[in-house]
């Protein structure tokens, strides 16, 4: 009886070990998707796969950590035995051993705790205000003509961006707002640069960035004033700060984050570089269409000329047949043998005349068909270009009046297209 009662008291629903572990993993990911944890490295080991395994510990606890190869390759600081670090990542459960562990994505040496705390505090504040929401992010323009850049006028960063822009989209207008990107006046100058392009309305898109560095070096881009200037900018802003593994508050607020400044230059011109290819494709399609139309028109004219000659022949033959019928009727009423002989001779003469008339008619029609074919070819846009004329386009449309000074033009001649600017 006691055994029956015990079985009856068992819970109706329960977890398996795997389902319970999965449930805990989900809770941990929801609660700790991105955390920084301070501790001392212990038991550091790099596996042949390229993964790193170690333990973070302090006086009261320890935490197993794993840094997988794709993240380990980007670490600026590698874990070593006894090193005091700040490790960033998310928490999950390693089901095979039933242990929770930190999946490490970045490592910084300790001593940056105050800055990191300030970073997390501002990040949480701005996120609560909705400044990181995808819904407020604006797409970059497909064909920007004017690009504003806020960065230091010296160093490799601006040169790298200018090289990429000039190579991928020559003819773009670029303006640099010089600003310190670290130091006492960096925040003020970066904010002024973003506000300048926002208020002037000159730029189609703005790039804000600098090269890599330590957390302290990049700190200007973690300041609230810079974040709010980017969020309030009237045109889309691309944040390009540091290297691929560096993240700043500016990255979260900007309309688009680029992993490097050079990548930012590529992103803002990704559609511009495709435009010449689209024009070439459209031109080839137009040429093929015109050639097909000319060929069909030529065939149609030829068929019309032959058809008309055949119609005239049939009409003439019908008349001759009717005449023969009349002659036959008259022969029956007179000397049939004499009349028939005369009729046959006349028929032969008429047939010879008819054949001669047909040949003459066809010979006269041929030059006309050839002239019409030549006229059609001369009316082709390709023939017009061959005579030295050109088609001028602005923003993909034919120019019919003098454009304004500074307008980017595309000029198409028989030998191919080239670009020009009005002065």
């Amino acid at each position: 009886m006691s055994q029956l009662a015990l079985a009856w008291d068992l819970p109706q629903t329960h977890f398996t070990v795997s389902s319970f572990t999965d449930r805990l993993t989900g809770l941990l990911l929801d609660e700790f998707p991105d955390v920084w944890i301070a501790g001392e490295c212990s038991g550091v080991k790099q596996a042949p796969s390229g993964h790193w395994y170690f333990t973070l510990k302090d006086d009261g606890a320890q935490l197993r950590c794993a840094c997988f190869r794709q993240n380990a390759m980007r670490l600026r600081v590698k874990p070593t035995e006894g090193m005091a670090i700040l490790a960033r990542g998310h928490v999950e459960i390693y089901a095979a051993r039933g242990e929770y562990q930190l999946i490490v994505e970045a490592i910084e040496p300790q001593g940056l705790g105050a800055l990191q705390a300030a970073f997390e505090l501002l990040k949480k504040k701005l996120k609560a205000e909705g400044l990181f929401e995808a819904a407020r992010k604006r797409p970059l323009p497909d064909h920007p003509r004017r690009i504003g850049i806020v960065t230091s006028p010296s160093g490799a960063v601006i040169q790298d961006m200018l090289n990429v822009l000039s190579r991928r989209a020559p003819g773009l207008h670029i303006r640099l707002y010089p600003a310190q990107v670290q130091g006492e006046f960096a925040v003020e100058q970066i904010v002024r640069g973003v506000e300048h392009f926002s208020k002037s309305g000159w730029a189609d898109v703005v790039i804000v960035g600098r090269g890599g560095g330590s957390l302290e070096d990049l700190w200007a881009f973690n300041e609230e004033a810079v974040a709010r200037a980017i969020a309030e900018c009237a045109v889309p802003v691309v944040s390009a700060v540091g290297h691929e593994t560096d993240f700043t508050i500016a990255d979260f607020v900007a309309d688009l984050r680029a992993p490097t400044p050079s990548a930012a230059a590529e992103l803002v011109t990704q559609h511009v570089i495709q435009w010449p290819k689209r024009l070439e494709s459209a031109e080839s399609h137009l040429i093929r269409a015109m050639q097909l139309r000319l060929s069909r028109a030529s065939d149609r004219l030829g068929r019309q000329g032959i058809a008309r000659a055949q119609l005239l022949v049939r009409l003439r033959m019908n008349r001759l047949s009717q005449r023969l019928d009349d002659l036959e009727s008259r022969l029956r009423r007179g000397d049939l043998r004499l009349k028939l002989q005369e009729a046959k001779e006349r028929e032969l003469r008429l047939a010879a005349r008819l054949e001669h008339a047909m040949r003459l008619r066809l010979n006269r029609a041929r030059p006309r068909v050839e002239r019409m074919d030549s006229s059609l070819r001369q009316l082709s846009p390709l023939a017009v270009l061959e005579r030295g004329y050109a088609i001028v386009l602005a923003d993909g449309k034919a120019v019919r009046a003098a454009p304004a000074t500074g307008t980017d033009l595309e000029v198409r001649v028989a030998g191919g297209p080239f670009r020009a600017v009005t002065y």
Side-chain angles (χ1 to χ4, degrees):
M1 187 63 138
S2 61
Q3 291 179 349
L4 178 61
L6 179 62
W8 186 259
D9 290 338
L10 289 174
Q12 299 301 306
T13 60
H14 61 274
F15 290 102
T16 65
V17 175
S18 295
S19 63
F20 184 69
T21 301
D22 291 342
R23 182 72 175 272
L24 283 179
T25 299
L27 293 174
L28 287 172
L29 285 173
D30 290 340
E31 185 67 23
F32 304 107
D34 187 12
V35 294
W36 285 88
I37 299 179
E40 181 181 305
C41 294
S42 176
V44 179
K45 177 183 178 182
Q46 184 179 18
S49 61
H51 307 328
W52 288 79
Y53 301 98
F54 57 95
T55 299
L56 274 183
K57 64 179 183 179
D58 57 20
D59 294 337
Q62 62 180 10
L63 171 64
R64 291 190 179 274
C65 300
C67 183
F68 297 123
R69 182 174 180 272
Q70 62 269 27
N71 291 321
M73 292 173 61
R74 297 194 293 265
L75 291 179
R76 292 183 299 173
V77 177
K78 306 296 183 184
T80 58
E81 195 71 24
M83 177 187 286
I85 65 169
L86 283 169
R88 182 177 68 84
H90 63 275
V91 180
E92 65 177 38
I93 295 178
Y94 181 37
R97 289 202 298 261
E99 298 176 343
Y100 80 99
Q101 60 184 5
L102 178 69
I103 306 302
V104 177
E105 298 173 7
I107 291 176
E108 293 286 351
Q110 275 200 42
L112 306 177
L115 288 179
Q116 193 60 52
F119 176 92
E120 296 296 340
L121 185 63
L122 180 58
K123 180 181 175 182
K124 183 177 181 180
K125 174 184 176 181
L126 298 181
K127 183 177 182 180
E129 294 181 19
L131 266 64
F132 300 168
E133 293 295 330
R136 61 166 296 277
K137 307 285 186 178
R138 295 161 294 187
L140 302 187
D142 287 345
H143 307 293
R145 292 182 297 171
R146 297 182 294 272
I147 298 176
I149 300 176
V150 180
T151 191
S152 171
S154 60
V157 168
I158 184 61
Q159 292 302 322
D160 290 344
M161 285 194 285
L162 291 177
N163 289 338
V164 172
L165 292 172
S166 61
R167 183 184 74 249
R168 290 170 60 89
L172 285 177
H173 296 282
I174 302 168
R175 285 186 182 175
L176 168 66
Y177 191 99
Q180 291 185 20
V181 290
Q182 69 182 75
E184 181 180 359
F185 303 105
V187 173
E188 179 184 356
Q189 293 180 12
I190 294 169
V191 169
R192 283 208 305 262
V194 174
E195 290 178 344
H196 166 77
F197 288 119
S198 178
K199 294 176 181 178
S200 67
W202 179 86
D204 297 319
V205 63
V206 175
I207 301 174
V208 180
R210 58 153 291 155
S214 66
L215 181 61
E216 294 98 324
D217 294 338
L218 306 180
W219 192 253
F221 296 90
N222 291 321
E223 292 286 354
E224 184 172 359
V226 171
R228 295 197 180 278
I230 292 174
E232 295 167 5
C233 187
V235 296
V237 177
V238 179
S239 175
V241 181
H243 302 297
E244 188 173 356
T245 55
D246 295 320
F247 281 87
T248 65
I249 298 295
D251 294 331
F252 296 111
V253 177
D255 296 285
L256 182 67
R257 174 192 179 259
T260 64
S262 295
E266 293 178 354
L267 288 171
V268 298
T269 56
Q270 59 183 339
H271 295 292
V272 174
I273 196 172
Q274 297 172 1
W275 185 242
K277 297 179 181 178
R278 295 179 183 175
L279 287 178
E280 290 176 5
S281 176
E283 181 183 26
S284 299
H285 180 74
L286 177 61
I287 290 173
R288 290 194 299 269
M290 289 302 299
Q291 289 174 339
L292 180 61
R293 290 193 64 180
L294 287 172
S295 177
R296 288 176 176 174
S298 178
D299 293 342
R300 188 165 57 251
L301 283 174
R303 289 194 300 269
Q304 287 176 351
I306 294 172
R308 181 168 179 80
Q310 291 174 341
L311 176 62
L312 293 174
V313 170
R314 285 197 299 270
L315 291 175
R316 192 67 179 268
M317 291 295 292
N318 290 338
R319 294 192 188 102
L320 289 174
S321 296
Q322 186 177 3
R323 178 65 174 163
L324 286 174
D325 290 340
D326 292 342
L327 290 173
E328 183 180 359
S329 177
R330 289 172 60 186
L331 283 173
R332 287 174 182 170
R333 294 194 300 270
D335 186 354
L336 293 179
R337 210 189 291 176
L338 180 61
K339 297 292 186 181
L340 184 58
Q341 182 64 31
E342 291 177 355
K344 286 183 177 180
E345 291 176 357
R346 187 170 183 179
E347 181 181 358
L348 290 173
R349 290 194 302 271
L350 289 173
R353 289 173 59 188
L354 176 61
E355 182 180 356
H356 177 71
M358 285 178 56
R359 292 182 181 278
L360 184 61
R361 187 79 179 212
L362 288 174
N363 289 336
R364 289 175 178 173
R366 184 174 290 107
R368 183 185 175 196
V369 171
E370 292 175 352
R371 287 194 303 272
M372 296 177 72
D373 179 70
S374 177
S375 297
L376 276 177
R377 294 183 183 278
Q378 290 176 359
L379 290 174
S380 167
L382 299 177
V384 174
L385 295 183
E386 289 293 339
R387 294 199 301 271
Y389 290 89
I391 299 175
V392 181
L393 304 174
D395 293 333
K397 298 179 180 179
V399 175
R400 291 182 167 82
T405 299
T407 302
D408 289 331
L409 301 176
E410 181 179 0
V411 182
R412 293 186 173 274
V413 296
F418 64 90
R419 304 191 68 85
V421 179
T422 59
Y423 291 93

